Amino acid sequence: MFDQAHRHAAPTSRPALVLLASEASQMAGPPDRRIRFGLAFGWVLVAGAFSLTSPHALAGGVLIVAIVATEVFAASDDFGSKAFSGLISMLALLLLGWAGGLVIGTGSVFIGDALLRRKPLSLVAWWAFLLAAMLTASAWSVGVTGTRTAGAWAPRAVGAASFAVFTLWTARRLRRVSEPHHIAAGASILAVIGAALAGPFWMPHVSASYAPWAGAGMGGLGVAAAFMLCDVVVASAAGWRTGGRFALAFWDEHLPILFLRYATQGVIAGVIAYWYVKDGTATLFAILVGVVTAQSLYFVYRRAEGAVESAVSALSSAIDARDPYTAGHSIRVADYATRVALHLGWSKARVEQVRRAGLLHDVGKLGVADAVLHKPGKLDDAEFAQMKRHAAVGATIVSQVQGLRLIAKIVGQDHERWEGGGYPTGLVGEAILPAARLIAVADVYDAMTTSRPYRDALPESDVLCHLEAESGRQLDPGLTAAFLRVVHEESAAGVMFCYCATH
């Protein structure tokens, strides 16, 4: 009922530059390694040859260096690499034409995915084909050098299709979850697309000094729109094949993020391309140095986040090791609560807080005596008093990890009651953090639907009736209702694939 497809990445533990050098020194290794090195080396030769023969040779060289630097910095980060390589691919498309965009853009696949991240070669081939298709669609839609555009109608058709997609998304979200931020997101995206479609009417009224910049930005936005639509079509087809119509639920959460990402990349690429034409290669070099520097800072932050995530995983594993009978309980609670948070449209940051707090909500049981923790029968008053201490103990343990102070507060509140009378401090209603109230619902659900030393798992129908009965008493009524809605939804099965949103 709460099935989820988990993607397991296998990032390298070696520094990216060391890894790159080691690949070059092991040509006599296994066939798979030689193929990976051959793909990367072949791309370098083709890209270098293209750059030397291009009218914009220096610009091509700068872009090649930028794409390699991007992938080296992002050796263990799929998501982060696409944020920067996507910008460089669109920029190559605008500066060097269709062929240049394909050559430079596919470097992210052959250098990053094949060589550094060692993805399966079948996936590397698929991703290279998909990226080439998206870049070709983008080039065709705006008529960049090397393609024959279908005419002035093509950009308008792309814009109209984008407007239709987001109109459907907005209507679906408002029908399911009518919250202000959904209204704002849908209205803002439609306003941007509408403004781009109305460009012929307002562009002539823009000041002559700003008009070229605005036009460049709109051109980049057109490239991004075609790129995104191609991604949406392929991702939907792949998901439909395995998950049917329920696979489209993937877009409920990812479509606005995808638009923001692609639109930002496209507009920035368009402006940089105009800046390069206006001021020359030195400007392009300076801008890309700034981009790569920003990327390096971003990955420093990501590595810090990775250290925090490692601490969360270690503490969660310690809970399972201490109480093997309930191993997996924290993971399930985190999964349930995360799905409901996504259903409610909570921000990415809040969803991540829910997930981490769900994993750690029972960490305080490390301070409970084995005789109490593993007792097969009912606890007496003294034992129950000791067990209740685990909420406060858990908050104290988690608060010692820098970056988890808010998570510690959530962990310390998930046994509070909506009507009061919970522990450790007896908070009431809205005084309890929303994430803690949500985890409390998920905790009750999983505790009752799994077997324990003192009883077997209860039928799910009885558990759902219990949740409804405790709504407004032990549990937050609004979050309980949302939890029950998610429980009754059918889950999408199979692969949810999107090149830049999840690749």
Side-chain angles (χ1 to χ4, degrees):
M1 184 164 292
F2 277 91
D3 292 341
Q4 287 189 324
H6 295 282
R7 298 188 302 275
H8 298 285
T12 176
S13 60
R14 289 183 286 174
L17 289 172
V18 174
L19 179 62
L20 192 61
S22 69
E23 293 292 347
S25 66
Q26 296 183 31
M27 284 288 287
D32 179 79
R33 181 172 294 165
R34 292 199 298 270
I35 292 172
R36 293 177 187 280
F37 182 82
L39 289 172
F41 186 69
W43 175 83
V44 171
L45 290 179
V46 172
F50 181 88
S51 177
L52 291 175
T53 58
S54 169
H56 300 279
L58 288 177
V62 169
L63 291 172
I64 291 171
V65 172
I67 201 77
V68 172
T70 291
E71 292 304 321
V72 167
F73 276 121
S76 60
D77 191 322
D78 288 346
F79 184 84
S81 73
K82 297 303 170 281
F84 294 93
S85 63
L87 169 63
I88 296 171
S89 297
M90 291 184 190
L91 186 57
L93 199 69
L94 292 171
L95 289 182
L96 307 177
W98 171 72
L102 258 61
V103 170
I104 302 297
T106 52
S108 65
V109 178
F110 296 126
I111 296 293
D113 295 316
L115 184 62
L116 295 175
R117 286 182 287 277
R118 299 182 182 180
K119 298 296 183 180
L121 291 175
S122 58
L123 281 181
V124 169
W126 164 242
W127 287 337
F129 169 78
L130 177 57
L131 181 57
M134 290 191 291
L135 289 169
T136 300
S138 302
W140 171 81
S141 69
V142 296
V144 302
T145 305
T147 61
R148 294 181 57 190
T149 181
W153 64 268
R156 296 193 192 100
V158 169
S162 300
F163 195 88
V165 167
F166 281 99
T167 298
L168 292 173
W169 176 86
T170 303
R172 174 180 168 84
R173 290 298 290 176
L174 292 181
R175 189 177 75 249
R176 294 185 61 206
V177 186
S178 183
E179 293 191 359
H181 68 276
H182 292 125
I183 299 173
S188 299
I189 293 171
L190 292 175
V192 170
I193 299 174
L197 287 172
F201 299 99
W202 59 265
M203 282 288 290
H205 303 288
V206 176
S207 169
S209 58
Y210 297 113
W213 298 96
M218 290 299 99
L221 185 61
V223 170
F227 199 84
M228 184 193 73
L229 286 176
C230 187
D231 202 355
V232 168
V233 169
V234 174
S236 298
W240 189 285
R241 231 179 121 192
T242 53
R245 63 187 179 85
F246 298 110
L248 299 183
F250 172 80
W251 297 117
D252 278 354
E253 301 300 330
H254 289 86
L255 201 55
I257 299 171
L258 196 67
F259 176 82
L260 178 63
R261 182 171 184 169
Y262 284 154
T264 302
Q265 289 173 343
V267 171
I268 292 175
V271 170
I272 293 176
Y274 172 74
W275 207 339
Y276 161 76
V277 172
K278 181 174 176 289
D279 294 332
T281 306
T283 299
L284 177 64
F285 180 77
I287 291 172
L288 289 180
V289 166
V291 168
V292 173
T293 301
Q295 182 195 32
S296 64
L297 294 175
Y298 167 75
F299 286 115
V300 168
Y301 163 77
R302 292 278 287 186
R303 280 191 287 272
E305 281 291 291
V308 172
E309 186 63 26
S310 296
V312 171
S313 298
L315 289 172
S316 178
S317 298
I319 301 168
D320 287 348
R322 176 72 193 284
D323 189 9
Y325 192 84
T326 59
H329 167 70
S330 297
I331 295 175
R332 291 191 299 272
V333 168
D335 281 347
Y336 299 159
T338 298
R339 287 203 62 193
V340 178
L342 288 170
H343 172 78
L344 291 170
W346 287 9
S347 69
K348 181 181 178 181
R350 291 183 70 189
V351 172
E352 181 62 15
Q353 289 168 5
V354 167
R355 186 188 69 83
R356 287 178 172 177
L359 289 172
L360 299 177
H361 77 283
D362 273 344
V363 72
K365 289 184 177 178
L366 294 172
V368 177
D370 285 345
V372 175
L373 188 62
H374 300 142
K375 184 176 180 178
K378 184 178 179 180
L379 301 179
D380 60 33
D381 291 343
E383 290 168 336
F384 186 59
Q386 183 179 350
M387 179 65 80
K388 287 198 299 184
R389 290 182 56 251
H390 86 271
V393 171
T396 301
I397 293 173
V398 176
S399 67
Q400 304 305 308
V401 180
Q402 188 173 3
L404 294 182
R405 300 295 171 82
L406 179 56
I407 306 300
K409 291 182 180 179
I410 298 171
V411 168
Q413 294 182 10
D414 81 297
H415 286 284
E416 302 286 0
R417 295 174 59 90
W418 176 258
E419 64 179 3
Y423 59 88
T425 57
L427 297 175
V428 179
E430 299 288 342
I432 308 168
L433 292 171
R437 303 199 303 264
L438 177 54
I439 290 170
V441 181
D443 193 13
V444 171
Y445 176 85
D446 187 71
M448 297 182 71
T449 54
T450 54
S451 297
R452 296 299 173 94
Y454 48 88
R455 60 155 176 80
D456 293 330
L458 301 176
E460 186 173 35
S461 58
D462 292 350
V463 176
L464 298 181
C465 287
H466 176 79
L467 292 180
E468 292 176 345
E470 290 298 321
S471 175
R473 299 171 56 192
Q474 177 186 357
L475 307 173
D476 180 323
L479 294 178
T480 302
F483 189 93
L484 293 173
R485 284 198 302 271
V486 173
V487 167
H488 288 116
E489 284 184 352
E490 294 186 69
S491 298
V495 177
M496 302 298 188
F497 174 80
C498 172
Y499 183 79
C500 280
T502 59
H503 172 46

